[in-house]
Amino acid sequence: MIVEMRVYHCAPGRLPALNERFTNITLDFFKKYGIEQIGFWTTLVGSSNHALTYLLKWESLAEREQKWNAFQADPEWIRQRNATEAEKPIVERVENQFLAPTAYSAMR
């Protein structure tokens, strides 16, 4: 198992729009492509409260590449994502890391 941690750094005031997009659009596409989420979090205390952090579970990097690329290339996803940013951009930058559990991790 591999866990992908993604952090979306939003433009000021745009975190509600990102949350709305995940709730009403993105999660349906994740389901369509078999992308399994572990959870989503916003930052209460930290360097910025304009961030959304989430974790995705993958069996391998090959699985991730196949499913993520199909999702990203979906014309309907592209259309809906662009529509949510018609007024102004939501996400300024994205960070992601791929994490492997240790032998003593509760989640393996």
Side-chain angles (χ1 to χ4, degrees):
M1 176 189 69
I2 297 168
V3 173
E4 180 176 5
M5 181 175 73
R6 299 182 62 84
V7 181
Y8 287 23
H9 299 274
C10 294
R14 297 294 280 159
L15 182 58
L18 182 61
N19 286 325
E20 183 177 325
R21 183 165 74 191
F22 268 100
T23 300
N24 298 321
I25 299 170
T26 309
L27 290 179
D28 288 338
F29 283 97
F30 279 10
K31 185 175 181 179
K32 176 180 178 179
Y33 289 100
I35 296 172
E36 186 178 346
Q37 59 122 323
I38 295 171
F40 289 80
W41 297 267
T42 55
T43 304
L44 292 177
V45 177
S47 59
S48 170
N49 65 353
H50 299 289
L52 176 71
T53 301
Y54 68 98
L55 302 177
L56 300 174
K57 179 182 172 186
W58 306 105
E59 292 304 318
S60 67
L61 288 174
E63 177 202 23
R64 191 269 184 190
E65 182 176 353
Q66 183 267 322
K67 290 180 177 180
W68 191 259
N69 289 347
F71 158 60
Q72 288 291 293
D74 186 301
E76 186 59 19
W77 158 246
I78 293 167
R79 186 190 70 72
Q80 290 190 44
R81 182 193 63 213
N82 289 344
T84 65
E85 296 193 349
E87 285 182 35
K88 57 185 171 182
I90 293 174
V91 176
E92 291 183 336
R93 67 185 168 88
V94 177
E95 294 178 42
N96 73 320
Q97 297 179 34
F98 295 93
L99 310 170
T102 62
Y104 49 86
S105 176
M107 181 183 280
R108 283 181 272 174

